[in-house]
Amino acid sequence: EPEVTQTPSHQVTQMGQEVILRCVPISNHLYFYWYRQILGQKVEFLVSFYNNEISEKSEIFDDQFSVERPDGSNFTLKIRSTKLEDSAMYFCASSERGGRYGYTFGSGTRLTVV
Amino acid sequence: ILNVEQSPQSLHVQEGDSTNFTCSFPSSNFYALHWYRWETAKSPEALFVMTLNGDEKKKGRISATLNTKEGYSYLYIKGSQPEDSATYLCARQGSGYALNFGKGTSLLVTP
């Protein structure tokens, strides 16, 4: 069964540092997403990406965040100048076409900002 | 804010019991309702994606219904097994690609 792979599984960073979370989506999927879940809260949408550009983003996804597909397989989320409140589980997901058959999620990266 | 609400928050049943959960969502500007099963330390796994009012979908012992006019969906599990223990998430998809999730129902099935 094809999987979405995320690395690292856990990242600890100092406040103010930049982090890059990495994802390898399913190879024939065209749409890519980042979500996050702060402990005890709902899973929240951050951004969707299609055809090498952002197709939709939430209010959370401000100038501190950026996404990139640097090559044919990786999809990254960069968080600049991390804050304590950025601590969360970050999930990458991909889908064939707009999610009609559901999204395939990775198992997440636990980001802890200290 | 498009709030998706799930109830109950948690549920503890005995093996063999049948159970159901509710997901309520704003019905305006609706495209699809997703159900995901999320086991601890794993990734959320898609169960169903439903778009049409009156849709019913089934996967083994799990089934779901959709009412888009009143904005709710039910997930049913028949004859619960310990391996059904997980958090069940519903998510509303509007006109774009973003999923708006509920907080989930945590199910524990004991032998």
Side-chain angles (χ1 to χ4, degrees):
Chain A
E1 180 101 23
E3 288 184 343
V4 172
T5 306
Q6 288 187 244
T7 54
S9 56
H10 192 183
Q11 171 118 28
V12 180
T13 190
Q14 296 250 328
M15 194 167 54
Q17 295 296 304
E18 175 182 286
V19 294
I20 297 176
L21 310 183
R22 302 179 192 278
C23 170
V24 179
I26 292 175
S27 59
N28 65 338
H29 284 184
L30 301 175
Y31 296 79
F32 314 113
Y33 315 88
W34 284 101
Y35 285 80
R36 78 173 185 189
Q37 186 186 35
I38 294 171
L39 193 63
Q41 297 186 22
K42 296 181 179 182
V43 175
E44 302 173 291
F45 169 74
L46 294 178
V47 66
S48 62
F49 191 85
Y50 169 71
N51 201 25
N52 282 319
E53 60 183 28
I54 291 173
S55 50
E56 194 175 351
K57 61 182 181 178
S58 71
E59 290 177 355
I60 302 167
F61 195 88
D62 59 21
D63 292 342
Q64 186 194 5
F65 295 88
S66 61
V67 290
E68 195 178 30
R69 189 155 163 81
D71 52 43
S73 58
N74 290 284
F75 179 52
T76 61
L77 174 69
K78 184 190 287 187
I79 310 175
R80 285 179 281 275
S81 190
T82 49
K83 299 177 268 197
L84 294 176
E85 54 264 37
D86 294 327
S87 295
M89 182 74 92
Y90 287 81
F91 292 97
C92 174
S94 66
S95 67
E96 289 180 71
R97 277 187 67 90
R100 178 174 284 275
Y101 303 109
Y103 294 67
T104 304
F105 282 85
S107 53
T109 293
R110 166 77 60 195
L111 177 65
T112 303
V113 182
V114 296
Chain B
I1 295 176
L2 302 172
N3 273 336
V4 175
E5 302 292 341
Q6 290 188 247
S7 62
Q9 186 177 345
S10 64
L11 199 51
H12 181 186
V13 302
Q14 297 293 312
E15 184 175 355
D17 289 348
S18 292
T19 186
N20 64 86
F21 327 131
T22 305
C23 173
S24 62
F25 55 88
S27 52
S28 61
N29 200 25
F30 170 88
Y31 174 71
L33 195 283
H34 297 232
W35 282 100
Y36 289 85
R37 180 173 178 276
W38 190 9
E39 287 182 75
T40 304
K42 295 188 178 179
S43 51
E45 173 198 351
L47 289 173
F48 307 113
V49 180
M50 296 181 287
T51 56
L52 299 176
N53 185 46
D55 247 356
E56 289 189 30
K57 296 217 171 176
K58 189 174 179 182
K59 194 175 190 176
R61 294 179 290 98
I62 306 177
S63 59
T65 61
L66 179 66
N67 183 321
T68 60
K69 292 184 179 179
E70 294 181 44
Y72 64 84
S73 175
Y74 294 134
L75 187 81
Y76 302 91
I77 302 178
K78 187 177 175 183
S80 304
Q81 300 296 309
E83 57 265 31
D84 295 328
S85 298
T87 296
Y88 291 82
L89 297 172
C90 73
R92 176 191 175 280
Q93 183 179 1
S95 57
Y97 304 114
L99 297 184
N100 188 17
F101 281 88
K103 274 193 119 173
T105 293
S106 176
L107 174 67
L108 177 63
V109 183
T110 51

